[in-house]
C-alpha cells in the first residue's frame, strides 16, 4: 500500500483487481480490534502487517446513513433489537467521524441504560460538543440513577463517571449537579464492597469539592478503607486527593489570625485556663485577679503571659493551633491536665511550655501534611489512618503533643533546646507516617518504638556511611575514581535501554489503555519502537517493533515543557506530574518521538541513556544518587587498610638532605 497515493486511488485499484464497479461506494476498515474506517487523517496509523477489509460503507455520507439507521434501531419496539443496536453503538462511538454524525442527529437524549451511558462517555470524550449543552432533565435522570437504592452496578458506575465529567468540564453544570447530588448521598456508596464504585464515588466527591465556592466546601468523613483488601492504583489516587482536600479545609483556620479584641476568641483561652486549674467555672461569676491569670498563663506555657491572644497572631498556624488545644482539653481532659500540671511542677528551666509547643507542633504538622497545597495528578501517597476516624486530624495532634512532652523529658531539655526537640519530634512523626499505620492506635505503637534513643541510634547508623572526608588526599582519590564510576553508570544505562521499556499512550483514563515499546539495538546504533495491544511481561523482540530511528540521526533530547506533546492543547491535563515525566527525541528531518515515562526511575534511565548515546552529560537525580553510592563504596574499599588511622590534611614534609652520604654499610 503506497501511503503517498490518495486513499481513493488505492480503493479504486483494489476494486479494479476484483472487477468491482462503483469504487466510490467502498471504503477500507480494520479487520481486527475496533473496526474503524481508514480516513486520510488516520491512514498514518496503519502498521505493517495490518489486515484491512474492503467494505461498502464510506466514512462521510455512509457514516451518516449508518448513524441514522442505528438511531432508528435504538427506537425500535423490540427489546432485543434495541439491545443489539446499543451494543453496536458503544463500539462505533469510538470512531470520531461516526460520533460527529450521531451527535448531529440529537441521539444523546436516548441514553438510559449501561450501554448508552458507555456510548455517551465515548461520544463526549471527542470534544465535538460542549458539556454546557447538556439539559437539566438529563442531569436529573443521571443523578436519579445515583440516588436509587437498588440500581445496577454498571449503570451506577457510569452515572458517577458522567457526573464527575460534568462537574470538571463545566462550571455551570457544577451548580446543577450540586443541586441533585450531595456529599452525604455519595457517602453511602463508599460503604459498599465494590472498589470500582468506591473509586468513582470518591472521584465525584473530589470534583464537587474542587468546583465548590470556598464557603460551601465539604468533604465527607467516613470509614472508606475496610479489611485488608489491596487498594488499586486509581483508588489510591482518589484517596490521596480526598486526603489533600480534607486537610485543605484546615487552611482557612490556619491562615486566620486571632483578634485580641474578639471576646469569643478570648473566651477559648479562658476555657483552657479554667479546665487546667479550676475544674469548674466560678458560680459567682467573679474573676480572679489579673496577676493570678498571668501566673496561670505562664504555667500553660504561653509566650505572652499578659495577653496570650498575641501568641496566635502568626500564620500559620493561626487559630488552628487554638482549635487543637481546645479539642485536647475537652475530649482528652485528663491528658491535658496531666501535661499542664506535670510541667508546672518542674523547675523553670526544664518545663515543657504547653502553649508554645502546641502552636509550633500545629505548624509542623501542617508542613508535614502539606496543608493548603493542591493535589498532584498521579500521586498515590495517602495515609490509611486518616480514613478510619471522624476526627483524625484532631486525634493526630493529641497523639503528637503527648509524644512531644515525652521526648522533651527523654532529652532532659531546657527552653534553649526547644528547636532541637522540635527537630527530633518532626523526625519521629515523619518516620512513623512513612510506615503507613492503618489506625491512630497503630500510629501510637510506631511512635512508641521511635523514642529519642532510637532516633539517635538511627541517625548514627545513617551517618556511619556518610562521614565527611574532605582532606586533600581523599579528594584527590575521589577525582581519580570518578571517571571509571561514570563509565560504569553509563554502561548500565545503555544496557537498560537495550532491554527496552513499555510506555503508555496519552489519552483519557477511562478508555482502554494503549501501549508502545521502545528499545535500543545491541550495537547501540538504532532505536526500535512499535505499538502493542497490551503491556508486555518481558522484553519485546526486535521483530515486533516495526519502526526505528538511527542514533546518528538524533539531534537532541527535550524534556518537560520543551517537549512538543506538552505544548499541544490535546495533551490533556498537563499537570506537574506528567511534565516531570515527559521527554522527546528530536531527529532528522525535524521529527520527534515523544515519551511519557511510567515513573521517575524510568524517566531518569532513558534521559541518561539517550544523553550518553549523544556523548552528553548524564544529569538526572538518579545518576547523582548512583554516583554518590558507588563512589562511597569504592572509597571505603580502597581505604579499608587505613581504618582507624588518621589521614593527615597535608603530606608529611620531605626531610632535609643529609650533609653527606657516607652512611652506607658494607655487608661484605
Amino acid at each position: 500500500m503506497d501511503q503517498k497515493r490518495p486513499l481513493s486511488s488505492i480503493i479504486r485499484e483494489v476494486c479494479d483487481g476484483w472487477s468491482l464497479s462503483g469504487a466510490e461506494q467502498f471504503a477500507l476498515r480494520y479487520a481486527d480490534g475496533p473496526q474503524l474506517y481508514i480516513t486520510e487523517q488516520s491512514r498514518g496509523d496503519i502498521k505493517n502487517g495490518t489486515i484491512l477489509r474492503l467494505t461498502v460503507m464510506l466514512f462521510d455520507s455512509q457514516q451518516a446513513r449508518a448513524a441514522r439507521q442505528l438511531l432508528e434501531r435504538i427506537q425500535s419496539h423490540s427489546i432485543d433489537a434495541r439491545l443489539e443496536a446499543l451494543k453496536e453503538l458503544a463500539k462505533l462511538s469510538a470512531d470520531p467521524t461516526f460520533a460527529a454524525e450521531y451527535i448531529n442527529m440529537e441521539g444523546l437524549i436516548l441514553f438510559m441504560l449501561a450501554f448508552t451511558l458507555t456510548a455517551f462517555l465515548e461520544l463526549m470524550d471527542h470534544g465535538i460538543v460542549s458539556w454546557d449543552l447538556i439539559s437539566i432533565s438529563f442531569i436529573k435522570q443521571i443523578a436519579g440513577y445515583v440516588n436509587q437504592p437498588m440500581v445496577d452496578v454498571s449503570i451506577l458506575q457510569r452515572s458517577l463517571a458522567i457526573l464527575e465529567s460534568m462537574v470538571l468540564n463545566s462550571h455551570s453544570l457544577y451548580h446543577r449537579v450540586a443541586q441533585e447530588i450531595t456529599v452525604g448521598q455519595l457517602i453511602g456508596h463508599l460503604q459498599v464492597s465494590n472498589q470500582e464504585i468506591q473509586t468513582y464515588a470518591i472521584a465525584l466527591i473530589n470534583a464537587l469539592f474542587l468546583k465548590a465556592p470556598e464557603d460551601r466546601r465539604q468533604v465527607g468523613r467516613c470509614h472508606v478503607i475496610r479489611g485488608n483488601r489491596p487498594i488499586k492504583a486509581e483508588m489510591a489516587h482518589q484517596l490521596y486527593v480526598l486526603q489533600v482536600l480534607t486537610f485543605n479545609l484546615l487552611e482557612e483556620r490556619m491562615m486566620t489570625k486571632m483578634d485580641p479584641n474578639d471576646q469569643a476568641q478570648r473566651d477559648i483561652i479562658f476555657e483552657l485556663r479554667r479546665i487546667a486549674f479550676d475544674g469548674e467555672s466560678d458560680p459567682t461569676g467573679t474573676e480572679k485577679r489579673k496577676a493570678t491569670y498571668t501566673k496561670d498563663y505562664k504555667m500553660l506555657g504561653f509566650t505572652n503571659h499578659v495577653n496570650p491572644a498575641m501568641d496566635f497572631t502568626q500564620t500559620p498556624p493561626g487559630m488552628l493551633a487554638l482549635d487543637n488545644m481546645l479539642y485536647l482539653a475537652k475530649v482528652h481532659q485528663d491528658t491535658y491536665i496531666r501535661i499542664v500540671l506535670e510541667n508546672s511542677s518542674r523547675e523553670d528551666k526544664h518545663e515543657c511550655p504547653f502553649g508554645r509547643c502546641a502552636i509550633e507542633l500545629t505548624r509542623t504538622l501542617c508542613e508535614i501534611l502539606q496543608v493548603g497545597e493542591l493535589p498532584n495528578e498521579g500521586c498515590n501517597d495517602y495515609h490509611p489512618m486518616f480514613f478510619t476516624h471522624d476526627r483524625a486530624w484532631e486525634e493526630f495532634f493529641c497523639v503528637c503533643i503527648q509524644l512531644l512532652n515525652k521526648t522533651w523529658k527523654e532529652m532532659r531539655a531546657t527552653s534553649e533546646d526547644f528547636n532541637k526537640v522540635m527537630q527530633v519530634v518532626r523526625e519521629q512523626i515523619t518516620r512513623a507516617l512513612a510506615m503507613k499505620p492503618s489506625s491512630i492506635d497503630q500510629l501510637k505503637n510506631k511512635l512508641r518504638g521511635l523514642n529519642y534513643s532510637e532516633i539517635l541510634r538511627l541517625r548514627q547508623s545513617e551517618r556511619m556511611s556518610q562521614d565527611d572526608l574532605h582532606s586533600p588526599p581523599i579528594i584527590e582519590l575521589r577525582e581519580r575514581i570518578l571517571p571509571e564510576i561514570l563509565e560504569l553508570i553509563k554502561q548500565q544505562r545503555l544496557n537498560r535501554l537495550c532491554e527496552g521499556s513499555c510506555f503508555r499512550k496519552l489519552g483519557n483514563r477511562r478508555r482502554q489503555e494503549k501501549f508502545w515499546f521502545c528499545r535500543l539495538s545491541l550495537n547501540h546504533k538504532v532505536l526500535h519502537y512499535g505499538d502493542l495491544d497490551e503491556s508486555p511481561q518481558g522484553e519485546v523482540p526486535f521483530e515486533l517493533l516495526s519502526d526505528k530511528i538511527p542514533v546518528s540521526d538524533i539531534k537532541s533530547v527535550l524534556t518537560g515543557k520543551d517537549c512538543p506533546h506538552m505544548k499541544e492543547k490535546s495533551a490533556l491535563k498537563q499537570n506537574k506530574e506528567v511534565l516531570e515525566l515527559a521527554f522527546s527525541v528530536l531527529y532528522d528531518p525535524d521529527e520527534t518521538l515523544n515519551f511519557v515515562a511510567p515513573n521517575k526511575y524510568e524517566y531518569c534511565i532513558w534521559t541518561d541513556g539517550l544523553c550518553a548515546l549523544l556523548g552528553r552529560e548524564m544529569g538526572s537525580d538518579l545518576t547523582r544518587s548512583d554516583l554518590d553510592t558507588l563512589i562511597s563504596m569504592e572509597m571505603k574499599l580502597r581505604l579499608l587498610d587505613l581504618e582507624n588511622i588518621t589521614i593527615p590534611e597535608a603530606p608529611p614534609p620531605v626531610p632535609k638532605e643529609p650533609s653527606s652520604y657516607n652512611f652506607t654499610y658494607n655487608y661484605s
Side-chain angles (χ1 to χ4, degrees):
M1 181 173 177
D2 186 356
Q3 287 281 41
K4 295 181 180 180
R5 294 175 55 195
L7 189 59
S8 58
S9 174
I10 295 174
I11 294 173
R12 187 177 296 107
E13 181 182 354
V14 175
C15 291
D16 292 342
W18 284 349
S19 301
L20 296 174
S21 60
E24 66 275 7
Q25 300 296 322
F26 290 88
L28 292 174
R29 67 193 297 182
Y30 291 101
D32 300 318
Q35 297 180 11
L36 306 181
Y37 289 95
I38 306 300
T39 67
E40 288 291 352
Q41 291 75 28
S42 65
R43 63 186 295 176
D45 297 331
I46 302 174
K47 303 300 179 185
N48 290 334
T50 301
I51 300 176
L52 303 180
R53 185 188 302 276
L54 189 68
T55 179
V56 291
M57 186 178 294
L58 280 173
F59 42 84
D60 287 323
S61 59
Q62 273 68 24
Q63 283 281 28
R65 187 190 311 163
R68 192 176 301 106
Q69 292 173 351
L70 196 57
L71 192 56
E72 292 173 356
R73 289 166 58 195
I74 290 175
Q75 300 177 53
S76 169
H77 295 291
S78 169
I79 296 179
D80 292 337
R82 273 197 208 164
L83 184 59
E84 290 302 317
L86 290 172
K87 288 181 179 179
E88 188 175 349
L89 175 61
K91 257 194 289 187
L92 292 176
S93 295
D95 188 347
T97 308
F98 176 87
E101 293 295 339
Y102 191 81
I103 289 172
N104 289 336
M105 296 176 187
E106 300 181 350
L108 301 181
I109 60 174
L110 300 171
F111 288 35
M112 298 175 62
L113 302 171
F115 289 115
T116 58
L117 298 179
T118 303
F120 177 79
L121 276 175
E122 292 286 352
L123 290 167
M124 297 305 292
D125 281 343
H126 294 297
I128 298 173
V129 295
S130 170
W131 284 89
D132 292 321
L133 299 178
I134 302 301
S135 66
I136 296 177
S137 60
F138 182 73
I139 296 174
K140 289 184 176 181
Q141 193 171 17
I142 298 299
Y145 297 143
V146 175
N147 294 329
Q148 286 180 17
M150 298 297 292
V151 71
D152 181 76
V153 171
S154 59
I155 294 177
L156 175 59
Q157 177 179 325
R158 286 157 179 78
S159 298
L160 290 168
I162 290 173
L163 291 175
E164 181 202 0
S165 294
M166 288 180 182
V167 172
L168 292 178
N169 289 288
S170 171
H171 186 72
S172 62
L173 287 185
Y174 157 74
H175 297 287
R176 297 174 182 175
V177 173
Q179 291 173 359
E180 304 296 330
I181 297 288
T182 65
V183 172
Q185 292 170 319
L186 293 172
I187 287 178
H189 296 302
L190 301 181
Q191 313 304 324
V192 300
S193 58
N194 189 317
Q195 195 171 117
E196 294 294 327
I197 297 298
Q198 286 184 328
T199 302
Y200 281 98
I202 296 174
L204 180 52
I205 291 174
N206 294 338
L208 288 169
F209 178 94
L210 288 169
K211 289 288 185 175
E214 291 188 6
D215 58 339
R216 294 184 58 189
R217 288 183 174 177
Q218 58 170 323
V219 175
R221 296 175 182 268
C222 55
H223 300 268
V224 179
I225 303 172
R226 297 176 179 272
N228 297 319
R229 292 181 304 156
I231 302 296
K232 296 180 181 178
E234 179 63 21
M235 177 70 163
H237 172 66
Q238 294 299 340
L239 288 172
Y240 156 76
V241 174
L242 180 61
Q243 171 185 285
V244 172
L245 299 180
T246 303
F247 288 146
N248 284 356
L249 293 175
L250 305 170
E251 184 180 12
E252 181 181 357
R253 295 293 284 175
M254 181 183 75
M255 301 307 295
T256 300
K257 296 181 180 180
M258 186 171 185
D259 183 2
N261 298 320
D262 189 324
Q263 186 60 42
Q265 295 179 1
R266 294 173 62 189
D267 287 343
I268 300 177
I269 298 179
F270 294 154
E271 183 70 3
L272 291 174
R273 191 208 62 77
R274 183 194 67 74
I275 294 174
F277 302 114
D278 291 353
E280 297 180 358
S281 58
D282 189 351
T284 63
T286 60
E287 295 186 359
K288 290 188 175 183
R289 289 180 296 108
K290 187 175 181 179
T292 306
Y293 278 142
T294 301
K295 180 182 177 182
D296 289 347
Y297 292 145
K298 181 179 179 182
M299 293 172 65
L300 278 171
F302 289 112
T303 303
N304 192 318
H305 307 152
V306 178
N307 187 5
M310 300 303 296
D311 286 16
F312 300 95
T313 56
Q314 185 176 357
T315 57
M319 290 294 291
L320 184 60
L322 188 59
D323 295 341
N324 288 339
M325 295 166 69
L326 184 63
Y327 180 87
L328 174 68
K330 287 192 170 184
V331 179
H332 301 281
Q333 191 172 114
D334 293 342
T335 300
Y336 168 69
I337 294 174
R338 176 179 56 79
I339 291 175
V340 173
L341 297 183
E342 183 181 290
N343 284 289
S344 63
S345 62
R346 295 181 188 168
E347 299 178 27
D348 285 347
K349 66 176 183 177
H350 285 292
E351 67 176 350
C352 178
F354 169 74
R356 183 184 176 191
C357 288
I359 293 170
E360 187 59 34
L361 177 63
T362 301
R363 179 188 291 109
T364 299
L365 297 183
C366 290
E367 292 173 356
I368 292 174
L369 298 176
Q370 300 179 331
V371 175
E373 295 189 13
L374 291 175
N376 289 326
E377 187 70 25
C379 183
N380 299 335
D381 187 22
Y382 73 96
H383 298 287
M385 71 175 186
F386 291 117
F387 297 93
T388 57
H389 199 287
D390 290 337
R391 303 297 295 271
W393 164 264
E394 291 84 354
E395 290 295 324
F396 182 45
F397 169 82
C398 293
V399 171
C400 293
I401 194 68
Q402 295 178 69
L403 169 72
L404 196 157
N405 189 59
K406 175 173 171 285
T407 302
W408 186 283
K409 290 188 290 184
E410 291 173 350
M411 294 178 66
R412 299 180 182 178
T414 63
S415 56
E416 288 80 10
D417 300 321
F418 183 85
N419 291 333
K420 292 181 181 178
V421 175
M422 291 307 304
Q423 290 174 3
V424 173
V425 170
R426 175 189 281 268
E427 186 172 347
Q428 290 171 312
I429 296 170
T430 303
R431 288 180 182 271
L433 288 177
M435 301 177 193
K436 302 295 181 184
S438 60
S439 65
I440 297 294
D441 290 335
Q442 278 199 18
L443 174 69
K444 294 178 182 177
N445 293 333
K446 303 293 184 187
L447 290 173
R448 239 178 250 122
L450 288 171
N451 54 34
Y452 179 54
S453 300
E454 178 65 12
I455 292 295
L456 289 179
R457 188 193 68 77
L458 291 171
R459 285 179 174 180
Q460 184 177 3
S461 175
E462 291 170 358
R463 278 199 301 262
M464 283 180 64
S465 59
Q466 298 175 3
D467 293 333
D468 293 328
L469 302 175
H470 297 302
S471 61
I474 301 301
I475 294 175
E476 183 178 350
L477 177 61
R478 183 185 180 92
E479 290 175 351
R480 289 187 180 183
I481 295 173
L482 184 61
E484 60 185 78
I485 298 297
L486 281 173
E487 183 61 26
L488 179 64
I489 295 174
K490 174 183 175 181
Q491 291 303 318
Q492 187 272 341
R493 299 291 191 267
L494 294 176
N495 290 340
R496 276 288 290 106
L497 262 61
C498 290
E499 294 175 9
S501 297
C502 180
F503 301 90
R504 282 185 174 86
K505 287 191 172 184
L506 281 178
N508 190 291
R509 61 183 173 88
R510 289 194 179 86
R511 292 194 183 180
Q512 184 178 3
E513 291 184 321
K514 296 182 180 180
F515 304 87
W516 66 287
F517 197 88
C518 186
R519 63 182 297 192
L520 179 66
S521 63
L522 300 180
N523 60 5
H524 300 172
K525 292 185 177 181
V526 180
L527 277 178
H528 295 264
Y529 66 97
D531 292 346
L532 301 175
D533 292 332
E534 58 183 10
S535 180
Q537 299 301 318
E539 294 184 10
V540 176
F542 291 103
E543 295 78 17
L544 298 180
L545 305 177
S546 57
D547 300 298
K548 60 184 179 180
I549 301 173
V551 172
S552 59
D553 289 348
I554 297 178
K555 296 179 180 179
S556 63
V557 178
L558 308 176
T559 59
K561 295 181 179 179
D562 296 330
C563 298
H565 58 311
M566 291 294 105
K567 295 179 180 178
E568 300 172 359
K569 293 182 179 179
S570 60
L572 302 173
K573 300 181 181 178
Q574 290 186 23
N575 50 66
K576 179 181 177 183
E577 189 75 16
V578 173
L579 284 174
E580 289 178 348
L581 299 177
F583 62 97
S584 300
V585 172
L586 180 64
Y587 61 97
D588 288 326
D590 296 329
E591 299 286 341
T592 58
L593 182 61
N594 300 318
F595 300 74
V596 175
N599 50 55
K600 191 67 176 177
Y601 176 80
E602 289 291 333
Y603 171 85
C604 294
I605 289 290
W606 275 85
T607 53
D608 282 343
L610 293 170
C611 287
L613 280 175
L614 301 179
R616 298 173 186 172
E617 181 182 355
M618 299 179 293
S620 73
D621 295 338
L622 183 62
T623 292
R624 287 191 287 271
S625 175
D626 289 350
L627 192 61
D628 290 341
T629 301
L630 293 174
I631 285 184
S632 176
M633 292 173 58
E634 186 66 20
M635 294 282 287
K636 288 178 181 178
L637 288 173
R638 299 202 182 191
L639 297 174
L640 197 59
D641 294 336
L642 298 177
E643 192 172 357
N644 297 324
I645 297 177
T646 303
I647 300 175
E649 291 293 324
V654 178
K656 295 180 180 179
E657 291 188 11
S659 57
S660 69
Y661 291 90
N662 298 328
F663 48 80
T664 58
Y665 183 81
N666 190 350
Y667 284 96
S668 62

